[in-house]
């Protein structure tokens, strides 16, 4: 949900790749624009395969596109 | 608001309209023609069976009309959203919610029989739970699209 511990740099990476649009990225990785919007806003954590496809599109390793921040649950 | 968010809203409104009109027609016929308990069971059985194709056809027609009008007005072309992984996850969660609601309605309808209520009450509860579960599915899709999964 909205408190996802997976964050990403997709927006920034799109900007640095000739201002690639969400639609262009969606077409390249084989999903809809709505899904890219949800991932960028942190509303959806993509599957490992989709995450790799996105990273591959930007020619970056996965950890440069996505990062994981463990949430402190008080344990 | 994207077309994917508009679609569940259109679906909720069309469900209300279709069920409302269909139930009103069915109830009128029921009051005019049905007198015995055997006739009542036969009548409501037929009403529920006919409802399924009526609902499917009318939803398809309304949805096609909505897509055409939306494309004309906004110029936005609809993507096949529910086919990708995010859409499928939303669809499966929404279906699960709808299934739970329908099961509650079904159990309530059986409860009404146990409490000695008439088949009219039982079938009305079943039809109501069909309608509400469909609306819960649409609302869930809208909610998960907005809030994420």
């Amino acid at each position: 949900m909205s408190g996802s511990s997976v964050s990403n740099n997709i927006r920034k990476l799109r900007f640095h790749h000739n201002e690639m649009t969400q639609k262009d990225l969606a077409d390249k990785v084989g999903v809809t624009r709505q899904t890219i919007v949800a991932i960028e806003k942190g509303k959806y954590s993509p599957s490992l395969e989709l995450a790799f496809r996105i990273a591959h599109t930007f020619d970056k390793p996965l950890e440069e596109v996505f990062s994981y921040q463990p949430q402190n649950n008080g344990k | 608001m994207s077309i994917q968010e508009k679609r569940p809203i259109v679906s909720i409104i069309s469900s209300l309209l279709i069920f409302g009109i269909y139930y009103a027609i069915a109830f009128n016929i029921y009051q005019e023609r049905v007198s015995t308990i055997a006739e009542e069971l036969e009548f409501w059985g037929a009403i529920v069976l006919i409802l399924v194709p009526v609902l499917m056809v009318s939803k398809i027609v309304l949805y096609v009309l909505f897509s055409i009008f939306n494309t004309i007005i906004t110029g936005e072309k609809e993507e096949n959203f529910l086919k990708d992984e995010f859409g499928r996850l939303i669809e499966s969660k929404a279906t699960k919610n709808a299934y739970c609601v329908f099961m509650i309605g079904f159990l309530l309808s059986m409860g009404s029989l146990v409490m000695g209520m008439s088949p009219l009450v039982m079938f009305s509860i079943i039809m109501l739970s069909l309608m509400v579960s469909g609306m819960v599915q649409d609302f869930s899709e809208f909610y998960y699209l907005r809030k994420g999964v």
Side-chain angles (χ1 to χ4, degrees), chain A residues 20 22-32 35-36 39 49-58, chain B residues 84-85:
Chain A
M20 183 192 286
Q22 289 171 329
K23 180 82 177 91
D24 289 339
L25 177 60
D27 290 341
K28 278 183 179 163
V29 298
V31 294
T32 59
T35 301
I36 299 296
I39 295 170
E49 189 185 345
L50 178 55
F52 271 112
R53 284 207 301 264
I54 292 169
H56 182 75
T57 302
F58 293 123
Chain B
D84 76 0
E85 60 175 52

mmCIF file with all atom_site columns, all heavy atoms in Angstrom, chain A residues 20 22-32 35-36 39 49-58, chain B residues 84-85:
data_model
loop_
_atom_site.group_PDB
_atom_site.id
_atom_site.type_symbol
_atom_site.label_atom_id
_atom_site.label_alt_id
_atom_site.label_comp_id
_atom_site.label_asym_id
_atom_site.label_entity_id
_atom_site.label_seq_id
_atom_site.pdbx_PDB_ins_code
_atom_site.Cartn_x
_atom_site.Cartn_y
_atom_site.Cartn_z
_atom_site.occupancy
_atom_site.B_iso_or_equiv
_atom_site.pdbx_formal_charge
_atom_site.auth_seq_id
_atom_site.auth_comp_id
_atom_site.auth_asym_id
_atom_site.auth_atom_id
_atom_site.pdbx_PDB_model_num
ATOM 1   N N   . MET A 1 20 ? 12.212 10.603  -21.321 1.00 0.00 ? 20 MET A N   1
ATOM 2   C CA  . MET A 1 20 ? 11.338 9.507   -21.756 1.00 0.00 ? 20 MET A CA  1
ATOM 3   C C   . MET A 1 20 ? 9.985  9.625   -21.055 1.00 0.00 ? 20 MET A C   1
ATOM 4   O O   . MET A 1 20 ? 9.923  9.911   -19.859 1.00 0.00 ? 20 MET A O   1
ATOM 5   C CB  . MET A 1 20 ? 12.005 8.168   -21.364 1.00 0.00 ? 20 MET A CB  1
ATOM 6   C CG  . MET A 1 20 ? 11.254 6.936   -21.803 1.00 0.00 ? 20 MET A CG  1
ATOM 7   S SD  . MET A 1 20 ? 11.913 5.456   -20.995 1.00 0.00 ? 20 MET A SD  1
ATOM 8   C CE  . MET A 1 20 ? 13.429 5.210   -21.861 1.00 0.00 ? 20 MET A CE  1
ATOM 9   N N   . GLN A 1 22 ? 6.233  8.336   -19.578 1.00 0.00 ? 22 GLN A N   1
ATOM 10  C CA  . GLN A 1 22 ? 5.758  7.135   -18.871 1.00 0.00 ? 22 GLN A CA  1
ATOM 11  C C   . GLN A 1 22 ? 5.233  6.117   -19.877 1.00 0.00 ? 22 GLN A C   1
ATOM 12  O O   . GLN A 1 22 ? 5.417  4.921   -19.721 1.00 0.00 ? 22 GLN A O   1
ATOM 13  C CB  . GLN A 1 22 ? 4.652  7.526   -17.888 1.00 0.00 ? 22 GLN A CB  1
ATOM 14  C CG  . GLN A 1 22 ? 5.172  8.302   -16.699 1.00 0.00 ? 22 GLN A CG  1
ATOM 15  C CD  . GLN A 1 22 ? 4.063  8.861   -15.843 1.00 0.00 ? 22 GLN A CD  1
ATOM 16  O OE1 . GLN A 1 22 ? 2.985  9.179   -16.341 1.00 0.00 ? 22 GLN A OE1 1
ATOM 17  N NE2 . GLN A 1 22 ? 4.318  8.987   -14.549 1.00 0.00 ? 22 GLN A NE2 1
ATOM 18  N N   . LYS A 1 23 ? 4.580  6.621   -20.923 1.00 0.00 ? 23 LYS A N   1
ATOM 19  C CA  . LYS A 1 23 ? 4.015  5.742   -21.945 1.00 0.00 ? 23 LYS A CA  1
ATOM 20  C C   . LYS A 1 23 ? 5.128  4.998   -22.692 1.00 0.00 ? 23 LYS A C   1
ATOM 21  O O   . LYS A 1 23 ? 5.012  3.792   -22.939 1.00 0.00 ? 23 LYS A O   1
ATOM 22  C CB  . LYS A 1 23 ? 3.176  6.588   -22.922 1.00 0.00 ? 23 LYS A CB  1
ATOM 23  C CG  . LYS A 1 23 ? 2.530  5.817   -24.042 1.00 0.00 ? 23 LYS A CG  1
ATOM 24  C CD  . LYS A 1 23 ? 1.236  5.170   -23.556 1.00 0.00 ? 23 LYS A CD  1
ATOM 25  C CE  . LYS A 1 23 ? 0.517  4.440   -24.667 1.00 0.00 ? 23 LYS A CE  1
ATOM 26  N NZ  . LYS A 1 23 ? 0.898  3.043   -24.786 1.00 0.00 ? 23 LYS A NZ  1
ATOM 27  N N   . ASP A 1 24 ? 6.222  5.725   -23.004 1.00 0.00 ? 24 ASP A N   1
ATOM 28  C CA  . ASP A 1 24 ? 7.347  5.088   -23.702 1.00 0.00 ? 24 ASP A CA  1
ATOM 29  C C   . ASP A 1 24 ? 7.939  3.960   -22.847 1.00 0.00 ? 24 ASP A C   1
ATOM 30  O O   . ASP A 1 24 ? 8.203  2.866   -23.343 1.00 0.00 ? 24 ASP A O   1
ATOM 31  C CB  . ASP A 1 24 ? 8.459  6.116   -24.001 1.00 0.00 ? 24 ASP A CB  1
ATOM 32  C CG  . ASP A 1 24 ? 8.042  7.099   -25.085 1.00 0.00 ? 24 ASP A CG  1
ATOM 33  O OD1 . ASP A 1 24 ? 7.118  6.760   -25.840 1.00 0.00 ? 24 ASP A OD1 1
ATOM 34  O OD2 . ASP A 1 24 ? 8.633  8.194   -25.146 1.00 0.00 ? 24 ASP A OD2 1
ATOM 35  N N   . LEU A 1 25 ? 8.134  4.279   -21.561 1.00 0.00 ? 25 LEU A N   1
ATOM 36  C CA  . LEU A 1 25 ? 8.704  3.275   -20.657 1.00 0.00 ? 25 LEU A CA  1
ATOM 37  C C   . LEU A 1 25 ? 7.753  2.076   -20.545 1.00 0.00 ? 25 LEU A C   1
ATOM 38  O O   . LEU A 1 25 ? 8.187  0.918   -20.589 1.00 0.00 ? 25 LEU A O   1
ATOM 39  C CB  . LEU A 1 25 ? 8.960  3.896   -19.274 1.00 0.00 ? 25 LEU A CB  1
ATOM 40  C CG  . LEU A 1 25 ? 9.498  2.941   -18.209 1.00 0.00 ? 25 LEU A CG  1
ATOM 41  C CD1 . LEU A 1 25 ? 10.834 2.326   -18.627 1.00 0.00 ? 25 LEU A CD1 1
ATOM 42  C CD2 . LEU A 1 25 ? 9.669  3.655   -16.861 1.00 0.00 ? 25 LEU A CD2 1
ATOM 43  N N   . ALA A 1 26 ? 6.469  2.389   -20.403 1.00 0.00 ? 26 ALA A N   1
ATOM 44  C CA  . ALA A 1 26 ? 5.461  1.316   -20.279 1.00 0.00 ? 26 ALA A CA  1
ATOM 45  C C   . ALA A 1 26 ? 5.513  0.398   -21.500 1.00 0.00 ? 26 ALA A C   1
ATOM 46  O O   . ALA A 1 26 ? 5.505  -0.831  -21.359 1.00 0.00 ? 26 ALA A O   1
ATOM 47  C CB  . ALA A 1 26 ? 4.072  1.929   -20.119 1.00 0.00 ? 26 ALA A CB  1
ATOM 48  N N   . ASP A 1 27 ? 5.598  0.995   -22.682 1.00 0.00 ? 27 ASP A N   1
ATOM 49  C CA  . ASP A 1 27 ? 5.650  0.187   -23.913 1.00 0.00 ? 27 ASP A CA  1
ATOM 50  C C   . ASP A 1 27 ? 6.928  -0.656  -23.968 1.00 0.00 ? 27 ASP A C   1
ATOM 51  O O   . ASP A 1 27 ? 6.894  -1.805  -24.395 1.00 0.00 ? 27 ASP A O   1
ATOM 52  C CB  . ASP A 1 27 ? 5.582  1.093   -25.158 1.00 0.00 ? 27 ASP A CB  1
ATOM 53  C CG  . ASP A 1 27 ? 4.201  1.725   -25.318 1.00 0.00 ? 27 ASP A CG  1
ATOM 54  O OD1 . ASP A 1 27 ? 3.245  1.201   -24.708 1.00 0.00 ? 27 ASP A OD1 1
ATOM 55  O OD2 . ASP A 1 27 ? 4.092  2.735   -26.043 1.00 0.00 ? 27 ASP A OD2 1
ATOM 56  N N   . LYS A 1 28 ? 8.043  -0.073  -23.497 1.00 0.00 ? 28 LYS A N   1
ATOM 57  C CA  . LYS A 1 28 ? 9.312  -0.801  -23.556 1.00 0.00 ? 28 LYS A CA  1
ATOM 58  C C   . LYS A 1 28 ? 9.329  -2.008  -22.620 1.00 0.00 ? 28 LYS A C   1
ATOM 59  O O   . LYS A 1 28 ? 9.942  -3.019  -22.924 1.00 0.00 ? 28 LYS A O   1
ATOM 60  C CB  . LYS A 1 28 ? 10.465 0.130   -23.203 1.00 0.00 ? 28 LYS A CB  1
ATOM 61  C CG  . LYS A 1 28 ? 10.886 0.971   -24.403 1.00 0.00 ? 28 LYS A CG  1
ATOM 62  C CD  . LYS A 1 28 ? 12.068 1.841   -24.102 1.00 0.00 ? 28 LYS A CD  1
ATOM 63  C CE  . LYS A 1 28 ? 12.428 2.622   -25.361 1.00 0.00 ? 28 LYS A CE  1
ATOM 64  N NZ  . LYS A 1 28 ? 13.262 3.754   -25.128 1.00 0.00 ? 28 LYS A NZ  1
ATOM 65  N N   . VAL A 1 29 ? 8.682  -1.866  -21.462 1.00 0.00 ? 29 VAL A N   1
ATOM 66  C CA  . VAL A 1 29 ? 8.726  -2.984  -20.490 1.00 0.00 ? 29 VAL A CA  1
ATOM 67  C C   . VAL A 1 29 ? 7.464  -3.849  -20.549 1.00 0.00 ? 29 VAL A C   1
ATOM 68  O O   . VAL A 1 29 ? 7.335  -4.820  -19.804 1.00 0.00 ? 29 VAL A O   1
ATOM 69  C CB  . VAL A 1 29 ? 8.973  -2.483  -19.044 1.00 0.00 ? 29 VAL A CB  1
ATOM 70  C CG1 . VAL A 1 29 ? 10.314 -1.798  -18.938 1.00 0.00 ? 29 VAL A CG1 1
ATOM 71  C CG2 . VAL A 1 29 ? 7.849  -1.553  -18.575 1.00 0.00 ? 29 VAL A CG2 1
ATOM 72  N N   . GLY A 1 30 ? 6.529  -3.483  -21.407 1.00 0.00 ? 30 GLY A N   1
ATOM 73  C CA  . GLY A 1 30 ? 5.364  -4.338  -21.639 1.00 0.00 ? 30 GLY A CA  1
ATOM 74  C C   . GLY A 1 30 ? 4.271  -4.261  -20.586 1.00 0.00 ? 30 GLY A C   1
ATOM 75  O O   . GLY A 1 30 ? 3.625  -5.261  -20.276 1.00 0.00 ? 30 GLY A O   1
ATOM 76  N N   . VAL A 1 31 ? 4.076  -3.060  -20.006 1.00 0.00 ? 31 VAL A N   1
ATOM 77  C CA  . VAL A 1 31 ? 2.946  -2.863  -19.088 1.00 0.00 ? 31 VAL A CA  1
ATOM 78  C C   . VAL A 1 31 ? 2.185  -1.608  -19.532 1.00 0.00 ? 31 VAL A C   1
ATOM 79  O O   . VAL A 1 31 ? 2.536  -0.990  -20.541 1.00 0.00 ? 31 VAL A O   1
ATOM 80  C CB  . VAL A 1 31 ? 3.404  -2.703  -17.605 1.00 0.00 ? 31 VAL A CB  1
ATOM 81  C CG1 . VAL A 1 31 ? 4.027  -3.974  -17.087 1.00 0.00 ? 31 VAL A CG1 1
ATOM 82  C CG2 . VAL A 1 31 ? 4.354  -1.525  -17.444 1.00 0.00 ? 31 VAL A CG2 1
ATOM 83  N N   . THR A 1 32 ? 1.152  -1.243  -18.765 1.00 0.00 ? 32 THR A N   1
ATOM 84  C CA  . THR A 1 32 ? 0.406  -0.033  -19.119 1.00 0.00 ? 32 THR A CA  1
ATOM 85  C C   . THR A 1 32 ? 0.997  1.181   -18.404 1.00 0.00 ? 32 THR A C   1
ATOM 86  O O   . THR A 1 32 ? 1.724  1.033   -17.408 1.00 0.00 ? 32 THR A O   1
ATOM 87  C CB  . THR A 1 32 ? -1.076 -0.159  -18.713 1.00 0.00 ? 32 THR A CB  1
ATOM 88  O OG1 . THR A 1 32 ? -1.135 -0.388  -17.311 1.00 0.00 ? 32 THR A OG1 1
ATOM 89  C CG2 . THR A 1 32 ? -1.752 -1.285  -19.448 1.00 0.00 ? 32 THR A CG2 1
ATOM 90  N N   . THR A 1 35 ? 0.400  1.424   -14.684 1.00 0.00 ? 35 THR A N   1
ATOM 91  C CA  . THR A 1 35 ? 1.285  0.641   -13.813 1.00 0.00 ? 35 THR A CA  1
ATOM 92  C C   . THR A 1 35 ? 2.572  1.407   -13.521 1.00 0.00 ? 35 THR A C   1
ATOM 93  O O   . THR A 1 35 ? 3.044  1.436   -12.384 1.00 0.00 ? 35 THR A O   1
ATOM 94  C CB  . THR A 1 35 ? 1.591  -0.726  -14.471 1.00 0.00 ? 35 THR A CB  1
ATOM 95  O OG1 . THR A 1 35 ? 0.343  -1.395  -14.672 1.00 0.00 ? 35 THR A OG1 1
ATOM 96  C CG2 . THR A 1 35 ? 2.497  -1.583  -13.615 1.00 0.00 ? 35 THR A CG2 1
ATOM 97  N N   . ILE A 1 36 ? 3.123  2.072   -14.545 1.00 0.00 ? 36 ILE A N   1
ATOM 98  C CA  . ILE A 1 36 ? 4.327  2.888   -14.332 1.00 0.00 ? 36 ILE A CA  1
ATOM 99  C C   . ILE A 1 36 ? 4.020  4.034   -13.367 1.00 0.00 ? 36 ILE A C   1
ATOM 100 O O   . ILE A 1 36 ? 4.811  4.335   -12.472 1.00 0.00 ? 36 ILE A O   1
ATOM 101 C CB  . ILE A 1 36 ? 4.866  3.437   -15.684 1.00 0.00 ? 36 ILE A CB  1
ATOM 102 C CG1 . ILE A 1 36 ? 5.256  2.279   -16.621 1.00 0.00 ? 36 ILE A CG1 1
ATOM 103 C CG2 . ILE A 1 36 ? 6.042  4.378   -15.476 1.00 0.00 ? 36 ILE A CG2 1
ATOM 104 C CD1 . ILE A 1 36 ? 6.390  1.402   -16.135 1.00 0.00 ? 36 ILE A CD1 1
ATOM 105 N N   . ILE A 1 39 ? 3.947  2.628   -9.881  1.00 0.00 ? 39 ILE A N   1
ATOM 106 C CA  . ILE A 1 39 ? 5.295  2.292   -9.387  1.00 0.00 ? 39 ILE A CA  1
ATOM 107 C C   . ILE A 1 39 ? 6.047  3.570   -8.996  1.00 0.00 ? 39 ILE A C   1
ATOM 108 O O   . ILE A 1 39 ? 6.644  3.652   -7.920  1.00 0.00 ? 39 ILE A O   1
ATOM 109 C CB  . ILE A 1 39 ? 6.094  1.494   -10.455 1.00 0.00 ? 39 ILE A CB  1
ATOM 110 C CG1 . ILE A 1 39 ? 5.438  0.135   -10.703 1.00 0.00 ? 39 ILE A CG1 1
ATOM 111 C CG2 . ILE A 1 39 ? 7.541  1.295   -10.009 1.00 0.00 ? 39 ILE A CG2 1
ATOM 112 C CD1 . ILE A 1 39 ? 5.996  -0.615  -11.901 1.00 0.00 ? 39 ILE A CD1 1
ATOM 113 N N   . GLU A 1 49 ? 10.655 -9.599  -12.042 1.00 0.00 ? 49 GLU A N   1
ATOM 114 C CA  . GLU A 1 49 ? 10.883 -9.600  -13.489 1.00 0.00 ? 49 GLU A CA  1
ATOM 115 C C   . GLU A 1 49 ? 10.683 -8.198  -14.080 1.00 0.00 ? 49 GLU A C   1
ATOM 116 O O   . GLU A 1 49 ? 11.504 -7.724  -14.861 1.00 0.00 ? 49 GLU A O   1
ATOM 117 C CB  . GLU A 1 49 ? 9.934  -10.597 -14.151 1.00 0.00 ? 49 GLU A CB  1
ATOM 118 C CG  . GLU A 1 49 ? 10.265 -10.794 -15.621 1.00 0.00 ? 49 GLU A CG  1
ATOM 119 C CD  . GLU A 1 49 ? 9.260  -11.679 -16.330 1.00 0.00 ? 49 GLU A CD  1
ATOM 120 O OE1 . GLU A 1 49 ? 8.482  -12.368 -15.653 1.00 0.00 ? 49 GLU A OE1 1
ATOM 121 O OE2 . GLU A 1 49 ? 9.252  -11.641 -17.569 1.00 0.00 ? 49 GLU A OE2 1
ATOM 122 N N   . LEU A 1 50 ? 9.601  -7.545  -13.662 1.00 0.00 ? 50 LEU A N   1
ATOM 123 C CA  . LEU A 1 50 ? 9.330  -6.192  -14.189 1.00 0.00 ? 50 LEU A CA  1
ATOM 124 C C   . LEU A 1 50 ? 10.406 -5.212  -13.707 1.00 0.00 ? 50 LEU A C   1
ATOM 125 O O   . LEU A 1 50 ? 10.858 -4.350  -14.473 1.00 0.00 ? 50 LEU A O   1
ATOM 126 C CB  . LEU A 1 50 ? 7.933  -5.726  -13.759 1.00 0.00 ? 50 LEU A CB  1
ATOM 127 C CG  . LEU A 1 50 ? 7.528  -4.321  -14.191 1.00 0.00 ? 50 LEU A CG  1
ATOM 128 C CD1 . LEU A 1 50 ? 7.645  -4.130  -15.698 1.00 0.00 ? 50 LEU A CD1 1
ATOM 129 C CD2 . LEU A 1 50 ? 6.101  -4.010  -13.736 1.00 0.00 ? 50 LEU A CD2 1
ATOM 130 N N   . ALA A 1 51 ? 10.824 -5.378  -12.453 1.00 0.00 ? 51 ALA A N   1
ATOM 131 C CA  . ALA A 1 51 ? 11.878 -4.504  -11.922 1.00 0.00 ? 51 ALA A CA  1
ATOM 132 C C   . ALA A 1 51 ? 13.158 -4.645  -12.755 1.00 0.00 ? 51 ALA A C   1
ATOM 133 O O   . ALA A 1 51 ? 13.797 -3.653  -13.110 1.00 0.00 ? 51 ALA A O   1
ATOM 134 C CB  . ALA A 1 51 ? 12.147 -4.854  -10.465 1.00 0.00 ? 51 ALA A CB  1
ATOM 135 N N   . PHE A 1 52 ? 13.499 -5.889  -13.093 1.00 0.00 ? 52 PHE A N   1
ATOM 136 C CA  . PHE A 1 52 ? 14.689 -6.119  -13.927 1.00 0.00 ? 52 PHE A CA  1
ATOM 137 C C   . PHE A 1 52 ? 14.508 -5.525  -15.320 1.00 0.00 ? 52 PHE A C   1
ATOM 138 O O   . PHE A 1 52 ? 15.444 -4.958  -15.883 1.00 0.00 ? 52 PHE A O   1
ATOM 139 C CB  . PHE A 1 52 ? 14.988 -7.630  -14.034 1.00 0.00 ? 52 PHE A CB  1
ATOM 140 C CG  . PHE A 1 52 ? 15.878 -8.136  -12.933 1.00 0.00 ? 52 PHE A CG  1
ATOM 141 C CD1 . PHE A 1 52 ? 15.400 -9.011  -11.971 1.00 0.00 ? 52 PHE A CD1 1
ATOM 142 C CD2 . PHE A 1 52 ? 17.207 -7.729  -12.857 1.00 0.00 ? 52 PHE A CD2 1
ATOM 143 C CE1 . PHE A 1 52 ? 16.223 -9.481  -10.950 1.00 0.00 ? 52 PHE A CE1 1
ATOM 144 C CE2 . PHE A 1 52 ? 18.043 -8.195  -11.834 1.00 0.00 ? 52 PHE A CE2 1
ATOM 145 C CZ  . PHE A 1 52 ? 17.542 -9.069  -10.879 1.00 0.00 ? 52 PHE A CZ  1
ATOM 146 N N   . ARG A 1 53 ? 13.300 -5.664  -15.874 1.00 0.00 ? 53 ARG A N   1
ATOM 147 C CA  . ARG A 1 53 ? 13.060 -5.116  -17.219 1.00 0.00 ? 53 ARG A CA  1
ATOM 148 C C   . ARG A 1 53 ? 13.214 -3.596  -17.219 1.00 0.00 ? 53 ARG A C   1
ATOM 149 O O   . ARG A 1 53 ? 13.776 -3.010  -18.145 1.00 0.00 ? 53 ARG A O   1
ATOM 150 C CB  . ARG A 1 53 ? 11.655 -5.504  -17.713 1.00 0.00 ? 53 ARG A CB  1
ATOM 151 C CG  . ARG A 1 53 ? 11.546 -6.948  -18.164 1.00 0.00 ? 53 ARG A CG  1
ATOM 152 C CD  . ARG A 1 53 ? 10.442 -7.126  -19.215 1.00 0.00 ? 53 ARG A CD  1
ATOM 153 N NE  . ARG A 1 53 ? 9.136  -6.726  -18.740 1.00 0.00 ? 53 ARG A NE  1
ATOM 154 C CZ  . ARG A 1 53 ? 8.235  -7.556  -18.226 1.00 0.00 ? 53 ARG A CZ  1
ATOM 155 N NH1 . ARG A 1 53 ? 8.503  -8.832  -18.114 1.00 0.00 ? 53 ARG A NH1 1
ATOM 156 N NH2 . ARG A 1 53 ? 7.064  -7.117  -17.832 1.00 0.00 ? 53 ARG A NH2 1
ATOM 157 N N   . ILE A 1 54 ? 12.718 -2.948  -16.134 1.00 0.00 ? 54 ILE A N   1
ATOM 158 C CA  . ILE A 1 54 ? 12.834 -1.486  -16.032 1.00 0.00 ? 54 ILE A CA  1
ATOM 159 C C   . ILE A 1 54 ? 14.315 -1.090  -15.924 1.00 0.00 ? 54 ILE A C   1
ATOM 160 O O   . ILE A 1 54 ? 14.789 -0.190  -16.620 1.00 0.00 ? 54 ILE A O   1
ATOM 161 C CB  . ILE A 1 54 ? 12.013 -0.949  -14.837 1.00 0.00 ? 54 ILE A CB  1
ATOM 162 C CG1 . ILE A 1 54 ? 10.523 -1.137  -15.099 1.00 0.00 ? 54 ILE A CG1 1
ATOM 163 C CG2 . ILE A 1 54 ? 12.315 0.527   -14.580 1.00 0.00 ? 54 ILE A CG2 1
ATOM 164 C CD1 . ILE A 1 54 ? 9.630  -0.883  -13.895 1.00 0.00 ? 54 ILE A CD1 1
ATOM 165 N N   . ALA A 1 55 ? 15.039 -1.809  -15.049 1.00 0.00 ? 55 ALA A N   1
ATOM 166 C CA  . ALA A 1 55 ? 16.463 -1.506  -14.864 1.00 0.00 ? 55 ALA A CA  1
ATOM 167 C C   . ALA A 1 55 ? 17.225 -1.714  -16.179 1.00 0.00 ? 55 ALA A C   1
ATOM 168 O O   . ALA A 1 55 ? 18.083 -0.909  -16.554 1.00 0.00 ? 55 ALA A O   1
ATOM 169 C CB  . ALA A 1 55 ? 17.039 -2.398  -13.770 1.00 0.00 ? 55 ALA A CB  1
ATOM 170 N N   . HIS A 1 56 ? 16.867 -2.786  -16.891 1.00 0.00 ? 56 HIS A N   1
ATOM 171 C CA  . HIS A 1 56 ? 17.527 -3.092  -18.165 1.00 0.00 ? 56 HIS A CA  1
ATOM 172 C C   . HIS A 1 56 ? 17.264 -1.985  -19.191 1.00 0.00 ? 56 HIS A C   1
ATOM 173 O O   . HIS A 1 56 ? 18.156 -1.625  -19.970 1.00 0.00 ? 56 HIS A O   1
ATOM 174 C CB  . HIS A 1 56 ? 17.012 -4.441  -18.669 1.00 0.00 ? 56 HIS A CB  1
ATOM 175 C CG  . HIS A 1 56 ? 17.643 -4.883  -19.947 1.00 0.00 ? 56 HIS A CG  1
ATOM 176 N ND1 . HIS A 1 56 ? 18.936 -5.369  -20.008 1.00 0.00 ? 56 HIS A ND1 1
ATOM 177 C CD2 . HIS A 1 56 ? 17.176 -4.895  -21.216 1.00 0.00 ? 56 HIS A CD2 1
ATOM 178 C CE1 . HIS A 1 56 ? 19.230 -5.668  -21.252 1.00 0.00 ? 56 HIS A CE1 1
ATOM 179 N NE2 . HIS A 1 56 ? 18.178 -5.387  -22.015 1.00 0.00 ? 56 HIS A NE2 1
ATOM 180 N N   . THR A 1 57 ? 16.046 -1.439  -19.169 1.00 0.00 ? 57 THR A N   1
ATOM 181 C CA  . THR A 1 57 ? 15.688 -0.357  -20.104 1.00 0.00 ? 57 THR A CA  1
ATOM 182 C C   . THR A 1 57 ? 16.598 0.861   -19.890 1.00 0.00 ? 57 THR A C   1
ATOM 183 O O   . THR A 1 57 ? 17.012 1.508   -20.851 1.00 0.00 ? 57 THR A O   1
ATOM 184 C CB  . THR A 1 57 ? 14.210 0.055   -19.898 1.00 0.00 ? 57 THR A CB  1
ATOM 185 O OG1 . THR A 1 57 ? 13.407 -1.093  -20.089 1.00 0.00 ? 57 THR A OG1 1
ATOM 186 C CG2 . THR A 1 57 ? 13.781 1.142   -20.867 1.00 0.00 ? 57 THR A CG2 1
ATOM 187 N N   . PHE A 1 58 ? 16.901 1.130   -18.624 1.00 0.00 ? 58 PHE A N   1
ATOM 188 C CA  . PHE A 1 58 ? 17.760 2.283   -18.314 1.00 0.00 ? 58 PHE A CA  1
ATOM 189 C C   . PHE A 1 58 ? 19.248 1.905   -18.333 1.00 0.00 ? 58 PHE A C   1
ATOM 190 O O   . PHE A 1 58 ? 20.102 2.753   -18.029 1.00 0.00 ? 58 PHE A O   1
ATOM 191 C CB  . PHE A 1 58 ? 17.391 2.865   -16.947 1.00 0.00 ? 58 PHE A CB  1
ATOM 192 C CG  . PHE A 1 58 ? 16.033 3.499   -16.912 1.00 0.00 ? 58 PHE A CG  1
ATOM 193 C CD1 . PHE A 1 58 ? 15.074 3.065   -16.001 1.00 0.00 ? 58 PHE A CD1 1
ATOM 194 C CD2 . PHE A 1 58 ? 15.693 4.520   -17.787 1.00 0.00 ? 58 PHE A CD2 1
ATOM 195 C CE1 . PHE A 1 58 ? 13.816 3.650   -15.966 1.00 0.00 ? 58 PHE A CE1 1
ATOM 196 C CE2 . PHE A 1 58 ? 14.439 5.110   -17.757 1.00 0.00 ? 58 PHE A CE2 1
ATOM 197 C CZ  . PHE A 1 58 ? 13.490 4.667   -16.851 1.00 0.00 ? 58 PHE A CZ  1
ATOM 198 N N   . ASP B 2 84 ? -2.116 -6.415  -17.425 1.00 0.00 ? 84 ASP B N   1
ATOM 199 C CA  . ASP B 2 84 ? -0.742 -6.460  -16.928 1.00 0.00 ? 84 ASP B CA  1
ATOM 200 C C   . ASP B 2 84 ? -0.724 -6.818  -15.437 1.00 0.00 ? 84 ASP B C   1
ATOM 201 O O   . ASP B 2 84 ? -1.767 -7.014  -14.826 1.00 0.00 ? 84 ASP B O   1
ATOM 202 C CB  . ASP B 2 84 ? 0.033  -5.176  -17.270 1.00 0.00 ? 84 ASP B CB  1
ATOM 203 C CG  . ASP B 2 84 ? -0.344 -4.000  -16.393 1.00 0.00 ? 84 ASP B CG  1
ATOM 204 O OD1 . ASP B 2 84 ? -1.203 -4.176  -15.516 1.00 0.00 ? 84 ASP B OD1 1
ATOM 205 O OD2 . ASP B 2 84 ? 0.215  -2.906  -16.588 1.00 0.00 ? 84 ASP B OD2 1
ATOM 206 N N   . GLU B 2 85 ? 0.486  -6.949  -14.849 1.00 0.00 ? 85 GLU B N   1
ATOM 207 C CA  . GLU B 2 85 ? 0.565  -7.537  -13.502 1.00 0.00 ? 85 GLU B CA  1
ATOM 208 C C   . GLU B 2 85 ? -0.135 -6.692  -12.428 1.00 0.00 ? 85 GLU B C   1
ATOM 209 O O   . GLU B 2 85 ? -0.784 -7.244  -11.541 1.00 0.00 ? 85 GLU B O   1
ATOM 210 C CB  . GLU B 2 85 ? 2.021  -7.809  -13.118 1.00 0.00 ? 85 GLU B CB  1
ATOM 211 C CG  . GLU B 2 85 ? 2.918  -6.572  -13.092 1.00 0.00 ? 85 GLU B CG  1
ATOM 212 C CD  . GLU B 2 85 ? 4.317  -6.907  -12.586 1.00 0.00 ? 85 GLU B CD  1
ATOM 213 O OE1 . GLU B 2 85 ? 4.922  -7.844  -13.111 1.00 0.00 ? 85 GLU B OE1 1
ATOM 214 O OE2 . GLU B 2 85 ? 4.779  -6.205  -11.665 1.00 0.00 ? 85 GLU B OE2 1
#
